[in-house]
Amino acid sequence: MRRVNGLATVGRALTCGGAVEKRLAQAALMSTCSSSSLNSHIFSQKLADRLGLSRPSLVRRVAGTMLFSVAASSLAQDALAKEKPRSEKFLPKEVVLYQYEACPFCNKVKAFLDYYNIPYKIVEVNPISKKEIKWSDYKKVPILKVDGEQMVDSSDIIDKLFHRINPDSSIPDGEEKKWREWVDNHLVHVLSPNIYRSTSEALESFDYITTHGNFSFTERLVAKYAGAAAMYFVSKKLKKKHNITDERAALYKAAETWVDALNGRHYLAGGSKPNLADLAVFGVLRPIRYLTSGKDMVEHTRIGEWYGRMENAVGESARIKE
């Protein structure tokens, strides 16, 4: 029972933890599967008693095979959730995403590209000068260029890409469409009042933004402190505009609303794979996950298990680093 509980604990760590925690959990899993000689002997003896076997070496091989099978099964399930581009008709030569690192709509698009393993380049747009998108009449991000074709608006971008990957399928409707619209019309509006809720959280957010963004040294300093101060006050206006009285309560309620929509399923559509709504929710939450607001959200709601599952399903970034 201790071994089963130990594997379950490691499994939960792999599901819910960050990158460092995952590596530690994976190491723990390996050590569990190749445990000490004493534990191995006890497990082998119990297995021998259950199977009626008398040769310890044979029993140990059986035990090892069983434990390896458990680990292999878990890895196979994670791999099953990860998609590959399924259409030979959609093999773009160049995909370029113009973005702000912390933009929730940009992160929606990145979650889709990462999940479907579509290699893409990033052009980080300076939010002050926007010089990187002066060539475009559209002055918002994200902008996606696919072999020179401009695509705009995150949901439209995803719809177009989905159709090219699945040319014989229509854009999903019903429950999936409902929750994708909920992300755009509600969830994203809860985020800013939370990440800029206090001066310290505003500085934390802008430290992340300026570290990952396209800023000169001077612009970084100006953006971090002036931007944080400005967004602190803007967030108060957004809070009033969207009738938010308690920022964290609104964030927690949104997280719980999503978990309720899952209704016990691993993903919204059920089965072993996330759909476009799962990817949308995950995408907009990803930039805040390891900020104070995101940590609080995971600690105080039930969303952590699903979020960890999505991290595994989406997997490594498909970004081409230059």
Side-chain angles (χ1 to χ4, degrees):
M1 180 62 72
R2 283 194 295 270
R3 178 180 296 277
V4 173
N5 288 341
L7 285 170
T9 300
V10 173
R12 286 192 295 271
L14 283 167
T15 300
C16 301
V20 174
E21 289 86 349
K22 286 180 187 175
R23 287 195 291 272
L24 292 173
Q26 287 165 348
L29 179 58
M30 292 301 293
S31 65
T32 301
C33 292
S34 59
S35 69
S36 68
S37 58
L38 176 60
N39 287 340
S40 177
H41 175 76
I42 294 172
F43 180 70
S44 298
Q45 188 59 55
K46 288 183 178 180
L47 184 62
D49 294 341
R50 177 64 61 88
L51 299 179
L53 300 174
S54 58
R55 292 173 57 193
S57 62
L58 174 60
V59 174
R60 282 193 290 272
R61 287 197 295 272
V62 172
T65 300
M66 288 175 63
L67 290 171
F68 175 80
S69 297
V70 169
S73 175
S74 176
L75 291 172
Q77 289 176 358
D78 287 345
L80 182 62
K82 180 74 174 176
E83 286 283 356
K84 298 290 182 183
R86 291 175 291 180
S87 173
E88 293 296 326
K89 298 179 181 178
F90 185 65
L91 295 172
K93 295 179 181 178
E94 184 179 54
V95 177
V96 182
L97 177 64
Y98 294 80
Q99 65 146 31
Y100 302 146
E101 180 65 29
C103 164
F105 297 107
C106 301
N107 278 276
K108 270 175 57 184
V109 175
K110 285 196 291 187
F112 182 94
L113 295 171
D114 292 339
Y115 178 67
Y116 280 98
N117 284 300
I118 300 172
Y120 61 95
K121 297 177 182 178
I122 288 287
V123 174
E124 190 68 25
V125 176
N126 187 311
I128 298 172
S129 66
K130 295 187 179 181
K131 60 182 182 293
E132 294 79 8
I133 55 173
K134 285 188 181 297
W135 55 269
S136 175
D137 292 334
Y138 188 80
K139 299 304 179 184
K140 299 179 181 179
V141 292
I143 298 174
L144 191 72
K145 288 181 73 174
V146 180
D147 292 337
E149 177 189 353
Q150 176 179 292
M151 299 181 185
V152 300
D153 184 276
S154 60
S155 293
D156 287 345
I157 290 170
I158 290 169
D159 286 347
K160 288 177 180 178
L161 294 178
F162 180 86
H163 183 67
R164 293 186 186 188
I165 294 171
N166 306 276
D168 299 324
S169 301
S170 58
I171 301 301
D173 206 341
E175 183 182 41
E176 191 168 351
K177 180 181 178 182
K178 168 189 170 182
W179 288 103
R180 289 180 68 194
E181 291 177 347
W182 174 80
V183 170
D184 291 346
N185 298 327
H186 178 73
L187 182 58
V188 294
H189 299 306
V190 173
L191 302 183
S192 289
N194 274 277
I195 64 177
Y196 305 120
R197 181 179 66 151
S198 64
T199 53
S200 61
E201 286 185 78
L203 283 169
E204 176 192 40
S205 299
F206 266 85
D207 186 55
Y208 173 83
I209 292 168
T210 56
T211 299
H212 292 81
N214 184 19
F215 296 92
S216 68
F217 177 75
T218 302
E219 287 174 335
R220 186 177 296 119
L221 289 177
V222 172
K224 179 176 179 178
Y225 292 99
M231 287 307 301
Y232 170 77
F233 291 106
V234 168
S235 71
K236 303 309 174 187
K237 293 182 179 180
L238 292 173
K239 177 180 173 181
K240 183 176 181 180
K241 177 180 178 181
H242 297 290
N243 298 314
I244 297 172
T245 55
D246 183 315
E247 300 95 335
R248 283 296 193 268
L251 180 62
Y252 299 163
K253 182 178 179 181
E256 291 291 349
T257 297
W258 173 246
V259 176
D260 287 342
L262 294 172
N263 194 27
R265 298 170 290 184
H266 278 193
Y267 305 108
L268 186 66
S272 60
K273 299 177 182 179
N275 64 17
L276 296 182
D278 289 290
L279 291 171
V281 176
F282 175 76
V284 302
L285 292 179
R286 186 155 59 169
I288 78 161
R289 169 59 183 92
Y290 296 102
L291 298 177
T292 299
S293 53
K295 292 175 183 177
D296 287 349
M297 175 188 68
V298 170
E299 181 180 351
H300 295 286
T301 74
R302 297 169 292 154
I303 203 170
E305 185 176 352
W306 169 85
Y307 187 93
R309 192 179 300 122
M310 285 297 299
E311 280 189 315
N312 290 333
V314 172
E316 297 295 325
S317 173
R319 175 182 179 179
I320 300 170
K321 294 185 178 180
E322 299 178 290

